[in-house]
Amino acid sequence: MKKFTLIPFLLLAFLGFSQSQFVVQNGTAAVYSNINDALTAADNGDTIYVPGSSFALSNTTIDKTLHWIGTGHYPGYTNATGVSRITSDLTFTGNCDGSSFEGIYFTGDLNFGSSDNETENLLFKRCRIDGTLTLRTITSDNPDIGTYITECVLKNIDGQNGSNCVVEKSLIFGAIIDFYQSLFNHNSHTPSERGYYNRETISHCVSCTFTNNIFAAYSGLYDGTSSCVLNYNLFKGSSGSIADFSTERYDNTGSNNIFDVSEDEIFEKITGDMWIFSYDNDYHLKTGCPGIGAASDGTNIGIYGSSKPCKEGAVPFYPHITQFEIDNEAGNGQLGVSIKVEAQDH
């Protein structure tokens, strides 16, 4: 282990490039050769920088607050560093309040909370999660868990009746399940053709608000979704099929929604099936799509709306390496190294 008293962001980006280096930082910083040693040594509140490669954890239960930062998950934006990928199913106990995750590709399920201790105030930013994200262990009551998810690629997300969650500017390819008094804004939602609850779009959500979203699904609200407000959304189907939210049966209401938009009119470029995420797809609205300029804030419906649209490539906020070159031979006793680093403006 090597210790440093101060590491600037550029050096952290360089260490993140190395597939054998994990940086744990909280004031001072320490560097470890594998992720399991780094997690064991990390103290509550530390930041762990995950380099580009695939990693499995030997201990899949996390019991402390950590801030996880990776290189990103979009291949075109991680050519120099590689993708930060964690392949284990993970459980985070109720002692993980305030944890954050940025720029990491999780291939498995993520489960949060304990039966007697909720995990509160989580942040997910510019991550990809292929498994189900479950925010509570139990379904009783409606506690304020305060989860914030932004600019992510998701499958099923299950709030387990937790409240005060925000999901925005994210691509969702599964079901939205069991949220209470939560906000879904500027997302693009395309559930799998063979997804959760018979491909239903929203399942057992109560008193939630859905604004400025694209719903390009095959069927509508699942029984148990009630008292929700759906405004300024774009629907692939008609109000009688996919978006039957105004009936007395469900007690949902909505206004200024756009219905009956054909699949070919929505996104700029889709290769293959719409309900399967692909890095080759372009999720901007196609020219002429009725969702352009139709959001409540006057911007576009979907992830590229709002005053701060989803960033291209969804790389983390901190400086990241986009190009790394080393000369094959030294000249005059020196070896040429060229590093190109960029940072997002938000």
Side-chain angles (χ1 to χ4, degrees):
M1 179 181 73
K2 297 175 287 184
K3 283 189 175 291
F4 301 83
T5 58
L6 178 64
I7 296 183
F9 277 131
L10 179 58
L11 180 55
L12 287 172
F14 178 76
L15 289 172
F17 168 78
S18 172
Q19 293 188 9
S20 61
Q21 302 293 318
F22 296 83
V23 178
V24 177
Q25 186 183 33
N26 189 351
T28 60
V31 181
Y32 299 87
S33 60
N34 72 76
I35 192 170
N36 295 299
D37 289 345
L39 289 171
T40 299
D43 291 327
N44 195 61
D46 281 0
T47 297
I48 178 168
Y49 294 85
V50 182
S53 192
S54 293
F55 307 102
L57 276 61
S58 57
N59 183 356
T60 58
T61 297
I62 311 300
D63 196 37
K64 51 192 166 186
T65 297
L66 295 173
H67 304 286
W68 305 60
I69 297 179
T71 60
H73 65 88
Y74 276 78
Y77 291 80
T78 54
N79 287 329
T81 61
V83 172
S84 297
R85 183 183 288 103
I86 294 178
T87 59
S88 307
D89 293 341
L90 300 179
T91 297
F92 297 82
T93 72
N95 294 328
C96 298
D97 292 345
S99 293
S100 63
F101 309 84
E102 183 171 359
I104 297 179
Y105 181 1
F106 295 96
T107 64
D109 295 335
L110 302 184
N111 299 282
F112 288 85
S114 310
S115 59
D116 58 348
N117 189 6
E118 307 288 353
T119 311
E120 301 174 346
N121 302 318
L122 300 170
L123 169 64
F124 298 88
K125 187 173 185 180
R126 297 171 181 167
C127 292
R128 178 176 175 181
I129 305 171
D130 274 357
T132 295
L133 172 60
T134 304
L135 300 177
R136 298 182 64 211
T137 299
I138 57 177
T139 60
S140 60
D141 303 319
N142 305 114
D144 180 349
I145 58 175
T147 296
Y148 179 47
I149 302 171
T150 182
E151 298 184 68
C152 291
V153 178
L154 307 166
K155 286 197 174 177
N156 299 315
I157 49 176
D158 191 342
Q160 293 280 73
N161 295 322
S163 69
N164 195 31
C165 299
V166 176
V167 182
E168 67 168 15
K169 292 179 288 188
S170 294
L171 296 167
I172 305 171
F173 293 86
I176 298 172
I177 312 162
D178 288 341
F179 283 87
Y180 182 78
Q181 290 184 349
S182 295
L183 172 65
F184 297 82
N185 186 38
H186 278 292
N187 302 292
S188 293
H189 189 196
T190 312
S192 168
E193 185 187 31
R194 295 176 177 84
Y196 229 70
Y197 286 120
N198 194 28
R199 307 193 303 268
E200 304 293 350
T201 301
I202 303 167
S203 174
H204 291 90
C205 291
V206 178
S207 300
C208 294
T209 300
F210 298 85
T211 59
N212 307 315
N213 302 287
I214 296 170
F215 291 105
Y218 284 83
S219 51
L221 307 183
Y222 190 77
D223 197 5
T225 295
S226 63
S227 302
C228 292
V229 178
L230 294 88
N231 295 333
Y232 294 94
N233 301 289
L234 182 148
F235 293 91
K236 174 183 170 183
S238 67
S239 59
S241 58
I242 187 173
D244 188 12
F245 56 82
S246 60
T247 64
E248 293 181 0
R249 176 187 177 192
Y250 297 120
D251 193 28
N252 299 297
T253 60
S255 64
N256 297 296
N257 295 292
I258 301 170
F259 302 106
D260 291 318
V261 181
S262 71
E263 186 172 305
D264 294 337
E265 291 181 89
I266 300 176
F267 297 117
E268 184 65 36
K269 177 188 175 184
I270 298 294
T271 57
D273 296 322
M274 179 182 286
W275 56 86
I276 298 176
F277 172 71
S278 172
Y279 292 109
D280 294 327
N281 291 344
D282 184 346
Y283 295 99
H284 287 85
L285 295 183
K286 181 177 287 187
T287 300
C289 177
I292 294 175
S296 61
D297 54 10
T299 64
N300 293 348
I301 294 174
I303 67 172
Y304 294 113
S306 84
S307 60
K308 291 185 177 181
C310 184
K311 297 296 292 187
E312 298 291 341
V315 295
F317 174 76
Y318 79 99
H320 60 283
I321 297 173
T322 59
Q323 185 176 335
F324 188 93
E325 297 179 356
I326 302 177
D327 291 344
N328 293 325
E329 297 181 357
N332 299 320
Q334 296 181 338
L335 184 65
V337 178
S338 174
I339 303 174
K340 183 179 179 182
V341 179
E342 296 180 358
Q344 297 280 15
D345 57 5
H346 73 270

